[in-house]
Amino acid sequence: MTAADLLGGAILAALVLYALLGGADFGGGIWDLLATGPRKRAQRELVEHAISPIWEANHVWLILVIVLLFTAFPKAFAAISITLFVPLVLLLFGIVLRGAAFTFRTYDTPEDRVQVRWGLVFSASSVLAPVVLGVIVGAIASGRLAGPPEGVDPLAWLAPFPLAVGFFAAALFAFLAATYLAVEARDALREDFRRRAIGAGAAVFLAAALAGVLSWYDAPLVFAGLLRRGFSLPLHVATAVAAVTAFAALFRRRYRLARAAAAAQVTLIVLGWGASQYPYLVVPGLTLATASAPRATQVAVLWALAAGAIFLFPALYLLFRVFKGERPFSVLDRRPAPGPRGEG
Amino acid sequence: MNDLLAARWLFGTSLAFHIVFAAVGVAMPLFMVLAEWRFRRTGAPAYLELAKRWAKGTAILFAVGAVSGTVISFELGLLWPRFMEFAGPIIGMPFSLEGFAFFAEAIFLGIYLYGWGRVGPRLHLASGVVVAASGAASAFFVTLANAWMNVPAGFAVLHGAASDVQPLVAMFPPGWAHEVVHVLLSSYVATGFAVAGIHALFLLRDPANAFHRGALRVALGVGAVAALLQPISGDFSARQVAATQPVKLAALEGQFRTERGAPLRVGGLPDVEARETRLALEIPYGLSLLAFHDPRAEVRGLEAFPRENWPNVRNVHLAFQAMVGLGSALALVALAYLYHRLRGKPLPRLLLRAVLVTSPFGFLALEAGWLVTEWGRQPFTIRDVMRTADAVTPVGNIAVPFVAFTILYLFLAAMVIVLLRRQIAKSPPASEVGAPAPAEGAL
């Protein structure tokens, strides 16, 4: 295991956490857009209540990924920045509009018209950002960014497989968010998010099937990772177990278990992506080794990561402990407690 | 507009926008914590109300700072991929550490903003302290990266790529300390005076208002001390720049000829064709004295360097004059304020008016100072190592994202102003913040 492998692992771990936290955050925005029925307003309020204190921290994971990429694998950062210029700019627009609109809505007048307008900007950009993020991942994995960056078509990413991954990402994040929100909601509202989680779970399945089929001719490494590599079968079995557990728990109204299973499913999917394109960082041009910074830098960054982690994880635990109840990550539901909603 | 120019405009616009929110992110949490701390000590309800209102302002400004900072981190690669490919491994350390500082800011700001009544008073105040400290740490680390671009160190160049990288040497390049101190102080000055100006406006209408008096005391207290330290830090900076970046010094002073006993120019317009700076008030020996602490010291003029390595002398000189002029005005106001405060005298209306008039000066000086250091390093992005023209992306049509981001930033700036105005439009009623303070006694 080289320093480059360790840093590749750190980037993948940061991406997993970004998917689990930032992804759910995008998913919350998607449910804001899709709020319907008699409890439309309550659904939106729950989303806002759930993400307000934590959304800024949730999105620092993306910054960490970017910083690690340009520090440890500068060639990959340059290649991705050049070939994926257009989707990256779209992603930035999504991120800026989403964060700004969410905050502006909180501090603007409570007047309905104003709130609806900001809500629309927030929720529309919550759909845009994960779709584009998925497209970027799909484009990197598919090997479409081949050749010298200068010669690459700036619209090479606009193809069926990356787009399918984009929709897959949005569905996955919506699914994840619905399972989280079902834990935080009560009564009828909880039922709303339970049904949404089941629906989104079905959408995840369809989008995954579509992306899988498209990968057959569009992303050979991913396709091989899905079927032929040594880790393929155990990974599939584990992901399937997580998915089935999530569905079963949702049907049986075991909300915390469903949330944990959904999170495990997302984790396995991201890890599976990483494993299938290993040792490539940008398929097929750059591997972890060929994109690497000098070893002195990589070692120094690993130390910095270790030191940062000692501080970061307790702080994150405190954040979730304060806002998500006494047992923020527990998989067991307690007997229903009296009270309107929320974890206290 | 060619792509290099468009890329420079886009990056410059993004930074000029972000830098305001970044400076606020450094200073505002400190003000908010000081207000809460005073409330916990004195029990005066005005300070609690102040901490809560400042926290709301901080929330709005921090969110815009967070998203505009995300844009910058991507734009480093989108616009300057060759620069990042070369420099990423060398200056990645401060950026990585800045990432953790940013995590701390985001986590504890969440606890601070939404934790009133949810966490104990000690944890709440401590969260605010962490936000203030990590805001300063973020600025510290990012400025280290900029200091490296000005005075690159800790690597060798082999076949166009960096080799022998020593991350810790690169992290603290020669002269890092002056730039870091200058930037941190500028954040406190700019934010302190901007906030003080708002409260001075209310105090001019309602001089006894305890809420606004407390606010002015905290914001201007910090801002004024920083404004007085800033000229000292500036002197330190000038000497460092003279030693490590002679071209920048010559440009910012409009010094074309190499001479002993060089004069200090106040104002003036450099004429690059004629190679002289016209209309300046010249203080004999001033520059040699300031830059080298020796009236007979030789100052190398722009002539001593190849013409193609000169920055835009007129822009650099004018930005520098603006920064020094604005900073001097702030230092004078700061001196008058601290004189009254330490003597326990009431603030005269004239001084409140001066605070009001100078309230935007800090941010203007901060932007001007940033322009001095960035324009002054041109045509290089890494001084003497990589030209900006060689760093730029091969992707074309950069004018399109430039226009799009400019519209986006104008919209965000307008919305921030509208929302902040709404937050501060009304003073809290006296019933909430206690009786008006007695008119005598210091603010």
Side-chain angles (χ1 to χ4, degrees):
Chain A
M1 178 117 348
T2 62
D5 285 342
L6 284 174
L7 280 163
I11 290 178
L12 193 62
L15 281 168
V16 166
L17 286 160
Y18 184 54
L20 291 179
L21 299 166
D25 209 282
F26 286 129
I30 295 174
W31 293 123
D32 184 294
L33 186 69
L34 299 181
T36 47
R39 286 171 297 279
K40 200 171 176 175
R41 184 185 278 262
Q43 289 166 6
R44 289 193 169 129
E45 279 171 6
L46 178 68
V47 169
E48 182 170 351
H49 172 83
I51 69 179
S52 288
I54 55 171
W55 74 271
E56 306 216 51
N58 286 346
H59 288 275
V60 185
W61 291 106
L62 183 62
I63 309 264
L64 190 65
V65 168
I66 290 299
V67 169
L68 286 178
L69 196 62
F70 71 60
T71 307
F73 305 103
K75 286 198 183 77
F77 182 66
I80 291 169
S81 297
I82 292 169
T83 48
L84 293 175
F85 187 93
V86 177
L88 285 169
V89 167
L90 291 176
L91 176 67
L92 289 178
F93 263 77
I95 288 173
V96 170
L97 283 173
R98 184 176 184 280
F102 184 71
T103 307
F104 291 171
R105 182 173 68 172
T106 307
Y107 294 98
D108 210 330
T109 50
E111 200 185 317
D112 274 346
R113 207 165 43 89
V114 175
Q115 293 286 311
V116 166
R117 209 181 297 146
W118 285 128
L120 198 62
V121 177
F122 163 66
S123 54
S125 47
S126 294
V127 178
L128 172 71
V131 169
V132 176
L133 203 60
V135 167
I136 290 167
V137 167
I140 290 173
S142 67
R144 308 196 138 262
L145 311 182
E150 282 78 0
V152 157
D153 171 10
L155 295 179
W157 51 277
L158 200 60
F161 177 72
L163 289 172
V165 177
F167 288 109
F168 176 61
L172 198 61
F173 292 162
F175 170 62
L176 200 57
T179 65
Y180 290 7
L181 289 164
V183 172
E184 298 203 19
R186 289 284 173 271
D187 307 327
L189 194 59
R190 181 173 248 186
E191 227 16 62
D192 286 352
F193 282 106
R194 174 176 162 267
R195 278 199 309 275
R196 279 165 171 69
I198 293 172
V204 167
F205 184 77
L206 291 176
L210 179 65
V213 170
L214 290 172
S215 76
W216 174 59
Y217 68 91
D218 219 11
L221 264 184
V222 174
F223 186 70
L226 287 176
L227 291 182
R228 290 191 214 126
R229 309 255 301 252
F231 58 79
S232 302
L233 189 65
L235 195 74
H236 278 305
V237 171
T239 312
V241 168
V244 170
T245 309
F247 268 106
L250 283 169
F251 278 112
R252 298 184 55 115
R253 299 191 165 77
R254 300 271 301 277
Y255 301 102
R256 280 175 179 258
L257 181 62
R259 179 178 67 172
Q265 187 186 342
V266 171
T267 304
L268 288 165
I269 288 168
V270 178
L271 292 180
W273 161 48
S276 68
Q277 79 167 57
Y278 181 85
Y280 291 101
L281 256 177
V282 180
V283 184
L286 294 165
T287 62
L288 288 171
T290 58
S292 268
R295 192 180 141 74
T297 299
Q298 293 196 332
V299 172
V301 171
L302 280 170
W303 281 110
L305 276 179
I310 291 173
F311 167 81
L312 172 62
F313 287 104
L316 269 180
Y317 182 80
L318 176 69
L319 180 71
F320 284 92
R321 173 70 186 73
V322 168
F323 295 106
K324 301 294 169 191
E326 267 176 41
R327 306 171 304 143
F329 306 110
S330 168
V331 294
L332 296 175
D333 288 297
R334 273 195 182 148
R335 295 169 59 81
R341 70 132 209 256
E343 300 284 336
Chain B
M1 187 183 275
N2 69 32
D3 283 324
L4 172 61
L5 198 59
R8 288 185 64 197
W9 269 102
L10 172 51
F11 201 58
T13 306
S14 305
L15 267 170
F17 181 80
H18 174 67
I19 208 167
V20 172
F21 299 91
V24 167
V26 171
M28 211 56 215
L30 177 66
F31 299 166
M32 160 185 111
V33 164
L34 285 174
E36 189 187 345
W37 178 68
R38 284 191 70 87
F39 164 71
R40 306 266 180 225
R41 269 195 42 198
T42 64
Y47 281 108
L48 179 63
E49 181 64 24
L50 190 55
K52 289 193 169 173
R53 287 192 167 215
W54 275 348
K56 282 184 186 167
T58 305
I60 296 171
L61 295 161
F62 184 84
V64 178
V67 293
S68 60
T70 306
V71 170
I72 306 260
S73 65
F74 277 85
E75 277 181 355
L76 284 171
L78 291 173
L79 300 174
W80 317 109
R82 298 296 166 231
F83 163 66
M84 289 310 288
E85 191 173 345
F86 181 89
I90 312 174
I91 53 171
M93 266 309 262
F95 278 116
S96 306
L97 295 170
E98 196 258 349
F100 284 104
F102 186 32
F103 254 126
E105 263 182 287
I107 290 170
F108 288 96
L109 189 65
I111 295 177
Y112 193 89
L113 293 177
Y114 293 89
W116 295 101
R118 231 173 215 274
V119 299
R122 272 164 195 253
L123 177 55
H124 192 262
L125 191 61
S127 299
V129 171
V130 175
V131 178
S134 47
S138 290
F140 174 86
F141 290 126
V142 166
T143 309
L144 286 182
N146 186 263
W148 178 86
M149 293 162 72
N150 288 328
V151 188
F155 67 100
V157 183
L158 188 69
H159 307 307
S163 68
D164 294 326
V165 174
Q166 297 170 277
L168 291 179
V169 176
M171 191 164 155
F172 298 102
W176 65 272
H178 79 81
E179 197 175 334
V180 164
V181 171
H182 206 61
V183 163
L184 283 174
L185 285 174
S186 75
S187 302
Y188 296 115
V189 177
T191 314
F193 272 84
V195 171
I198 293 166
H199 295 284
L201 180 65
F202 283 96
L203 282 173
L204 282 166
R205 293 183 206 149
D206 179 12
N209 187 301
F211 174 78
H212 294 296
R213 287 162 65 101
L216 193 80
R217 197 180 161 85
V218 174
L220 202 51
V222 175
V225 171
L228 283 183
L229 291 174
Q230 194 65 306
I232 303 171
S233 143
D235 174 58
F236 178 41
S237 291
R239 277 182 290 143
Q240 286 289 330
V241 169
T244 58
Q245 306 169 65
V247 184
K248 186 183 278 183
L249 181 84
L252 57 85
E253 295 290 354
Q255 179 78 28
F256 287 93
R257 266 188 307 280
T258 300
E259 59 184 324
R260 291 191 173 278
L264 183 70
R265 294 179 187 79
V266 179
L269 200 62
D271 181 341
V272 177
E273 295 313 313
R275 304 203 162 187
E276 62 179 330
T277 299
R278 298 208 177 90
L279 305 168
L281 176 68
E282 296 196 354
I283 302 168
Y285 305 106
L287 179 55
S288 291
L289 199 60
L290 274 180
F292 298 97
H293 283 197
D294 169 8
R296 300 295 311 162
E298 183 182 84
V299 176
R300 276 187 288 168
L302 285 158
E303 282 178 351
F305 306 93
R307 177 71 184 83
E308 70 269 19
N309 289 355
W310 292 11
N312 183 325
V313 181
R314 197 192 50 192
N315 286 2
V316 176
H317 180 71
L318 292 180
F320 181 70
Q321 298 298 314
M323 177 189 77
V324 172
L326 293 163
S328 305
L330 290 171
L332 284 178
V333 175
L335 205 59
Y337 170 73
L338 290 176
Y339 170 80
H340 285 87
R341 178 159 162 177
L342 294 176
R343 289 289 177 94
K345 292 183 177 180
L347 294 190
R349 288 184 70 80
L350 185 65
L351 186 53
L352 284 178
R353 282 209 193 91
V355 171
L356 181 62
V357 169
T358 54
S359 71
F361 283 18
F363 275 109
L364 293 173
L366 187 150
E367 295 279 8
W370 164 71
L371 286 174
V372 169
T373 200
E374 295 303 297
W375 278 341
R377 194 185 57 246
Q378 300 304 321
F380 293 99
T381 187
I382 309 169
R383 192 177 59 90
D384 292 345
V385 174
M386 181 182 279
R387 284 176 183 269
T388 311
D390 297 328
V392 75
T393 181
V395 175
N397 299 319
I398 305 295
V400 177
F402 166 57
V403 171
F405 273 105
T406 303
I407 293 169
L408 178 66
Y409 286 142
L410 287 174
F411 167 71
L412 291 186
M415 285 319 305
V416 165
I417 290 168
V418 167
L419 290 180
L420 286 181
R421 271 188 68 110
R422 197 166 289 152
Q423 291 292 327
I424 50 196
K426 269 196 283 183
S427 308
S431 58
E432 274 178 31
V433 298
E440 67 277 5
L443 277 168

